[in-house]
Amino acid sequence: MTKLITIYRCQQCGFDNPKWAGQCGQCKAWNSLVEEIKEVGGKRHEARKRASGGRVVKIAELNIRKEQGQRLATGMHEFDRVLGGGIVTGSVILVAGEPGIGKSTLLTQLSMNVGVPVLYVCGEESPDQVALRVKRLGQAKNLGLLSETDVDLIVETARREKPGLMVVDSVQTLTSDDLMGMAGSVGQVRECASRLMRLAKDEGISVFLVGHVTKEGTVAGPKVLEHMVDVVVELTGERIGRFRILRTLKNRFGATDEVGVFAMEDTGLVEVTNPSGAFLEESQAGMPGSAVVVLLEGTRPVLVEVQALAVKSFLPVPRRVAQGIPLAKVQLLAAIVEKHCRLPLSNYDLFVSVAGGVKIGEPGADLGIAMAIASSYLNRALPLKAAMIGEVGLLGEIRRVREQARRIKEAKKLGYAQILSSETAARLPAAVKLWLK
Ligand code: TYD
Ligand code: MG
């Protein structure tokens, strides 16, 4: 007889503790115990062994259809691009993001536009709430709602109904009766996701899992699932701002550096096909402290505005505040500007931000950030219609960046005739002299 028991397994040493405790009884690691299911009796194990029979399959024997045919279009061009050309049948896709960012909106729109029957499992909202949203956003012909949080019931329903696609909103609300933990605990989230994975692979149903992350990204959810699922996409942006950026963090079937840009309107998420134009709509070009940089978002060059404000500080340790840029980068660039351009920024508070809720994570914007800081300090504006591309080294040198030619081309296309890069100036002091006169 097979029996399922729950144990608390240490994530550090693998020791099975019979009860939850703050510390592992074996290796003494803290907070490392996670609830898991263990089978005793071994029968099921035997059955599972027999399933593959230990047989090795030759690639040639596998009936692999043309990949293109296996992908399902989402009905949203930007979403398709992020997924690498549509949804692969039977794949499990995790949609991560902070609460309120628009994950449910995105997946409701997807459910309405995709060409196959959809089962939308609403664990967080009532079916009425989802129906209300559907009504606001348009029409849905093929959409079935299921208000359920028991994962085994959900799997059973899906096996019976055989939808082409399933949305689970959210994975943190699911529970399995076989585990004792609360919904949202690491053990529950992992077990529920693995049962849904099995469903997806067995039945060829593509599954979208919604997973919340907090600002620190520590909550049980996306992080513990990342290695299990096929694709992880993250929806980011400022909740009060208009723009949302959808980014691939992991993709077993495509590139991981694709980015889709959406705007949150009262009709839902609208695709932004010309992100540069949208981000620069309210740019303050011509004002001291404003600089336009060319970022590479995925494979696409995008122009955004960086703003800096340097004001005299009355604090012993002046403030450095950054939004959309890692603080360490601002501190570093401020130090480089101070040392090599001889601007005494250490008596100044410094605030730097990126417009449009974009997050800068690559070195191509270094030059623009440094120039914005210098521009604000000197109270002189950078030339109009000038774009900045370049990495800045510790010695003040300006370096070439990845895909520089493509970035320049994109900037020129948008009417930015003047480009400041390593080709225009070799070092930061020269750039300041040249452009901040
Ligand atoms: P939601 O998709 O519920 O967020 P999540 O599922 O990630 O928690 O979206 C929340 C916000 O989106 C909410 O503040 C309202 C806004 N919104 C719009 O602006 N327009 C719309 O058409 C919809 C449906 C939502
Ligand atoms: Mg939601």
Side-chain angles (χ1 to χ4, degrees), residues 8 24 45 53 66 112-113 122 184 205 219 298 307 309 314 324-325 328 431:
Y8 294 84
C24 171
H45 187 61
K66 245 187 142 218
M112 292 163 56
N113 295 331
C122 29
I205 301 173
V219 148
Q307 295 188 341
L309 178 67
F314 296 97
I325 309 169

Side-chain angles (χ1 to χ4, degrees), residues 35 68 70 99 131 136 145 179 187 193 203 218 226 254 291 309 319 347 350 370 409 412:
E35 188 183 22
Q68 219 42 38
Q70 282 176 295
R136 270 186 54 194
L145 299 177
L179 291 177
E203 307 281 333
T218 50
E226 248 167 54
L309 178 67
R319 297 222 288 161
N347 302 325
L350 210 52
K409 203 169 141 204
K412 292 218 161 129

Side-chain angles (χ1 to χ4, degrees), residues 76 78 109 242-244 261-273:
M76 281 183 273
E78 292 281 294
Q109 282 178 279
R242 247 179 84 216
F243 296 110
R244 301 287 185 274
V261 182
F262 296 89
M264 181 63 97
E265 309 282 353
D266 46 7
T267 49
L269 288 162
V270 181
E271 298 173 52
V272 177
T273 41

Side-chain angles (χ1 to χ4, degrees), residues 42 51 95 214 256 344 370 374 426:
V95 181
T214 57
T256 50

Side-chain angles (χ1 to χ4, degrees), residues 283-287 290 292 381-388 415-419 435:
S283 108
Q284 298 297 307
M287 294 278 287
S290 160
V292 171
L382 284 157
L384 279 170
K385 291 287 171 194
M388 265 134 265
Y416 285 76
Q418 285 181 293
I419 309 287
W435 293 62

